[in-house]
Amino acid sequence: MFLCKNIVPQRIGVLNFHLSLQSVKKNNEDVYKYGYSMVEYIVEAYGREKLVELLREYEDIEKVLNISENEFRDGWIEFLKKKVNY
């Protein structure tokens, strides 16, 4: 929860309009915050098995979760908003 609170209020506008999974501009601390929140989202939304499968399939979201990267991003953003009651 701490990590989500640090991401959402400061960055949600940027995420809504500019986030692509390949082009997030980040510093070292942000990398961990984004990564942690994505892992948390994947486990809660799709289960631990899908997280492991994503790692094995070299992060192929479309193949493993059957959704586009944009759908993943939108779901992740909604997950973050709910975490902090945004």
Side-chain angles (χ1 to χ4, degrees):
M1 181 72 125
F2 168 77
L3 294 173
C4 291
K5 284 184 180 180
N6 286 337
I7 292 171
V8 174
Q10 298 170 13
R11 306 202 188 254
I12 200 68
V14 173
L15 288 172
N16 276 327
F17 299 105
H18 301 292
L19 178 70
S20 80
L21 297 179
Q22 287 81 30
S23 66
V24 175
K25 291 183 179 180
K26 51 204 170 269
N27 62 39
N28 289 338
E29 186 177 326
D30 285 344
V31 171
Y32 291 107
K33 290 177 187 175
Y34 286 120
Y36 179 89
S37 68
M38 282 185 186
V39 167
E40 186 178 27
Y41 167 62
I42 293 164
V43 169
E44 287 190 25
Y46 300 98
R48 296 178 104 191
E49 300 80 19
K50 289 293 183 180
L51 175 63
V52 172
E53 192 175 341
L54 272 170
L55 295 171
R56 288 187 179 142
E57 294 295 330
Y58 303 102
E59 303 170 9
D60 190 342
I61 289 170
E62 292 178 0
K63 178 180 177 182
V64 175
L65 302 180
N66 296 314
I67 59 172
S68 69
E69 286 187 10
N70 287 338
E71 290 171 312
F72 177 83
R73 181 201 60 223
D74 294 345
W76 175 50
I77 290 169
E78 287 305 312
F79 169 80
L80 293 173
K81 287 178 180 179
K82 288 176 187 174
K83 282 289 203 181
V84 296
N85 299 315
Y86 190 75

